[in-house]
Amino acid sequence: MSDPIITADLVTLDADLGATKDSVITALAARLTEAGRAGDASALTAAALAREAQSATGLPGGIAIPHCRAETVTAASLGFARLAPKVDFGAPDGPADLVFLIAAPEGAGAEHMKLLSSLARALVRPEFVSQLRAAAVPSEIVALVEGVIAPAPAPAQAAAPVAEPAEKAATTTTPATERTVVAVTACPTGIAHTYMAADSLVAAGSRAGVKVLVETQGSSGSTPLPADAIASADAVVFATDVGVRGRERFAGKPVIESGVKRAINEPDAMIAEAVRASENPSAAKVSGDAPAEGEEGAETLGWGTRLRQVLLTGVSYMIPFVAAGGLLIALGFLLGGYEISESAGTIVLDNSLTELPAGGLATYFGAVLFQLGSLAFGFLVPALAGYIAFAIADRPGLAPGFTAGAVAVFVGAGFLGGLVGGLIAGITALWIARRPVPQWARGLMPVVVVPLFASLIVGVIMFALLGKPLAAVTSGLTDWLNGLSGTSAVALGVILGLMMCFDLGGPVNKAAYAFAVAGLSVTDPATLKIMAAVMAAGMVPPLAMALSTLLRPKLYTPAERENGKAAWLLGASFISEGAIPFAAADPLRVIPSMMAGGAVTGALIMATGTTLSAPHGGIFVFFAVGGIAWFVLALAAGTLVGALCVTAAKEFAKPRPVAQPALTTV
């Protein structure tokens, strides 16, 4: 490799890098940037902390492997720190003293990813961990790492899947009559946990006399399990934090499910559960393309967590339609004026570039953009419902989900109808997929039987039973919003502002945003006010943190001050996530302060009747704001309040932040 993964200048031994994992990650990101491995330390830190927010990266035995893929990374790299004192990274057995920051470019090649995954796998070996603790100088750490990521050539295994050596060890020490378990491991970034979980399961199988075959769906590629291996398996383990690709291949197998970290922390328990499930006729089974939940013998996610994942899946797939459609509509207004909404369809159909309407080229293009945006925006509710159903029942849920969303639009049930219809469609599709059918009919289930009957059932339910009541609720909500004035309107603005700033792009933030965009209508002033309140409040956190770092730079580390510079643009662009590095490092003082600023902005927007007809864009869609002066004033007021609150909290509330210690290399 032209660029080694790790060098001595990326190693820090026996250093105090702060009391929190955020400070450790910040220090390691700075070290990688100083070595020319990344272009922006703050961006690398933010990416690693965002991954950390998904699930803790601490592992049993005093190890932590924060990791990420980011555009700012120029070469796949490892930053290593042996800490004194230890720092908590969320491991079940206590804080960590060995920390690897694994950083990969966004488009990292397969070879780089295999090297990084090799390190992750080595960390489950006690002898390797002991050698890391005993190393006296950085060069020893480099040699140890290079020894596991670039071992001596082994021609017989050169073309084997990543997990094959461990699998072979298991098969050579167990009898021919052993049970067989197949597994899939996957984590959001696919760098470390994916492969560590695979090796942990294989090792646990070897200890239990169970043959374990693992398919790692990670960044270094995936070698699918052979069909005959799946067919002969007694049970399947899904240890994933993301969806399983090709889940339908495991249809009918007893299944144990968990997050990827449980396979690292409790592999023996998972293998034992898989064996028990294989012996239990009532154990949960993979049916069709869909997950089987809630049956005896299964390790499943809680219903609350599962419901949140399902709804957020729908919202995440809906947002591209919102952004594209909403911004096209706003651009149509910019070119053709707001009156274009009443005649856009006629103008587009009756005119062309050679036969322009009365308003000329600007009016024609305004009509085209508005019509394109309206068509894209029309998919908002169907996409929401379709991907809610998809999250429940995988691909067979798409057709009934989109159908339910289309019915919701047709009957006027709107966003609420899409939510309810998507849930019904997904549950119905899942229920049908789990019906026992002859072997010859299994191929028809996901492509014909499930979509057909689930669409029929959800369509009838929506038309005959739920459509009108949901439409009445939606209509009543719209009338209530239109009737808000004075104190009640201000109270709604406060609530929306608090929600937008509570988790900075998380579920609560997304719920407020989805509420605003789903009801957005240029003919409904109430929805335009709500959209303005949501966007303005969402811009506050990054701007407030940027202002605070400018007002009192001594309260922040050098990395945080750099983050503050970037936060100006992020906040102006309505990217609330720009404040995440600050909130992750100091949530008790940052988040309440941001919520205070967001509440002020939301209240002022609603009180002044400011409107916004574009669902995204920040300062770049100011042309779509009605009452631009009030919008800017409300945004400035919330930013100032948030900045003053967080500055005061950091100045006077204990404990005060400690300056980032200098990195030293022993």
Side-chain angles (χ1 to χ4, degrees):
M1 303 294 292
S2 58
D3 292 318
I5 295 291
I6 187 171
T7 55
D9 60 339
L10 301 180
V11 175
T12 304
L13 297 182
D14 305 317
D16 182 353
L17 300 184
T20 68
K21 62 182 179 181
D22 305 88
S23 63
V24 174
I25 291 172
T26 299
L28 290 174
R31 174 59 66 91
L32 291 178
T33 304
E34 291 168 2
R37 301 303 187 101
D40 186 343
S42 61
L44 177 56
T45 300
L49 291 177
R51 170 61 186 89
E52 198 76 20
Q54 294 176 337
S55 63
T57 55
L59 303 173
I63 304 167
I65 50 167
H67 54 277
C68 66
R69 287 180 291 181
E71 291 183 0
T72 190
V73 178
T74 56
S77 305
L78 298 174
F80 174 78
R82 192 168 65 200
L83 303 177
K86 297 181 178 181
V87 173
D88 184 13
F89 274 78
D93 61 344
D97 62 331
L98 302 179
V99 181
F100 278 100
L101 175 60
I102 306 177
E106 190 63 54
E111 289 304 314
H112 275 122
M113 300 313 302
K114 287 179 180 178
L115 294 178
L116 296 177
S117 64
S118 296
L119 169 71
R121 307 177 86 115
L123 289 171
V124 302
R125 306 204 312 254
E127 67 278 8
F128 177 68
V129 175
S130 297
Q131 290 170 334
L132 291 175
R133 289 199 170 97
V137 293
S139 59
E140 292 184 28
I141 299 292
V142 173
L144 286 170
V145 172
E146 288 180 342
V148 298
I149 65 176
Q157 297 180 359
V162 175
E164 187 167 339
E167 292 162 6
K168 288 181 177 178
T171 59
T172 58
T173 59
T174 52
T177 57
E178 67 191 351
R179 291 195 175 276
T180 299
V181 172
V182 292
V184 175
T185 61
C187 69
T189 52
I191 296 176
H193 289 83
T194 298
Y195 304 98
M196 299 178 74
D199 281 358
S200 296
L201 290 171
V202 170
S206 179
R207 291 190 291 270
V210 177
K211 180 180 180 181
V212 178
L213 304 174
V214 183
E215 177 179 318
T216 53
Q217 296 184 352
S219 295
S220 63
S222 173
T223 302
L225 288 165
D228 57 347
I230 297 174
S232 61
D234 297 291
V236 58
V237 171
F238 291 147
T240 68
D241 291 333
V242 293
V244 177
R245 297 196 294 271
R247 188 181 183 115
E248 67 277 3
R249 296 170 295 155
F250 304 90
K253 295 294 180 182
V255 61
I256 299 298
E257 295 189 80
S258 78
V260 69
K261 285 198 68 177
R262 184 169 186 249
I264 300 173
N265 296 336
E266 305 175 26
D268 297 282
M270 293 197 73
I271 295 301
E273 290 169 9
V275 172
R276 289 197 296 271
S278 70
E279 300 169 346
N280 182 2
S282 64
K285 294 180 175 61
V286 182
S287 298
D289 284 3
E293 290 195 53
E295 296 187 18
E296 184 181 350
E299 176 68 28
T300 58
L301 299 175
W303 276 108
T305 300
R306 180 65 175 147
L307 180 62
R308 178 174 61 85
Q309 291 179 343
V310 164
L311 295 179
L312 284 178
T313 298
V315 171
S316 67
Y317 279 103
M318 176 192 78
I319 287 177
F321 292 95
V322 172
L327 292 175
L328 284 170
I329 289 173
L331 290 172
F333 288 150
L334 178 64
L335 293 177
Y338 286 100
E339 63 275 6
I340 202 71
S341 62
E342 301 175 0
S343 56
T346 302
I347 292 175
V348 171
L349 292 175
D350 295 346
N351 296 272
S352 67
L353 286 173
T354 57
E355 297 181 11
L356 294 173
L361 190 62
T363 298
Y364 176 70
F365 273 119
V368 169
L369 293 174
F370 179 87
Q371 199 61 37
L372 282 173
S374 297
L375 292 172
F377 217 66
F379 285 100
L380 189 154
V381 173
L384 173 71
Y387 284 103
I388 285 175
F390 170 79
I392 297 173
D394 215 314
R395 284 174 292 179
L398 279 173
F402 270 86
T403 300
V407 173
V409 174
F410 182 80
V411 301
F415 180 65
L416 182 60
L419 285 175
V420 175
L423 290 170
I424 295 174
I427 292 170
T428 303
L430 178 60
W431 178 78
I432 295 173
R434 293 173 65 176
R435 298 305 91 198
V437 296
Q439 182 69 32
W440 60 266
R442 284 187 177 178
L444 294 175
M445 290 293 287
V447 295
V448 177
V449 177
V450 176
L452 171 62
F453 287 99
S455 297
L456 175 63
I457 292 171
V458 73
V460 170
I461 291 175
M462 290 295 291
F463 270 126
L465 298 177
L466 298 179
K468 290 183 178 179
L470 289 173
V473 172
T474 300
S475 177
L477 178 61
T478 301
D479 293 340
W480 174 70
L481 291 175
N482 282 322
L484 287 177
S485 61
T487 304
S488 56
V490 172
L492 178 60
V494 170
I495 293 171
L496 292 173
L498 292 172
M499 293 177 69
M500 287 300 295
C501 300
F502 175 70
D503 53 1
L504 305 174
V508 176
N509 172 284
K510 287 293 188 291
Y513 181 69
F515 170 70
V517 299
L520 186 61
S521 171
V522 295
T523 61
D524 188 345
T527 65
L528 302 182
K529 296 175 187 176
I530 290 171
M531 191 70 251
V534 163
M535 183 180 291
M539 295 168 69
V540 165
L543 294 176
M545 293 310 307
L547 180 58
S548 180
T549 60
L550 186 65
L551 293 175
R552 291 287 289 154
K554 292 184 179 180
L555 296 175
Y556 298 91
T557 67
E560 287 175 328
R561 291 196 290 271
E562 288 299 314
N563 285 339
K565 296 175 183 177
W568 286 113
L569 180 59
L570 294 173
S573 304
F574 182 39
I575 301 176
S576 304
E577 289 84 348
I580 285 179
F582 300 98
D586 191 5
L588 294 181
R589 288 182 286 191
V590 170
I591 291 178
S593 301
M594 298 306 100
M595 291 174 67
V600 169
T601 294
L604 288 174
I605 290 288
M606 295 299 289
T608 57
T610 304
T611 62
L612 175 64
S613 58
H616 212 292
I619 62 172
F620 302 104
V621 292
F622 269 4
F623 61 83
V625 175
I628 184 66
W630 284 116
F631 187 95
V632 173
L633 178 62
L635 179 60
T639 299
L640 183 59
V641 168
L644 292 177
C645 286
V646 74
T647 302
K650 285 180 172 290
E651 184 76 41
F652 302 112
K654 302 294 184 179
R656 296 187 179 184
V658 179
Q660 181 66 44
L663 287 169
T664 57
T665 302
V666 178

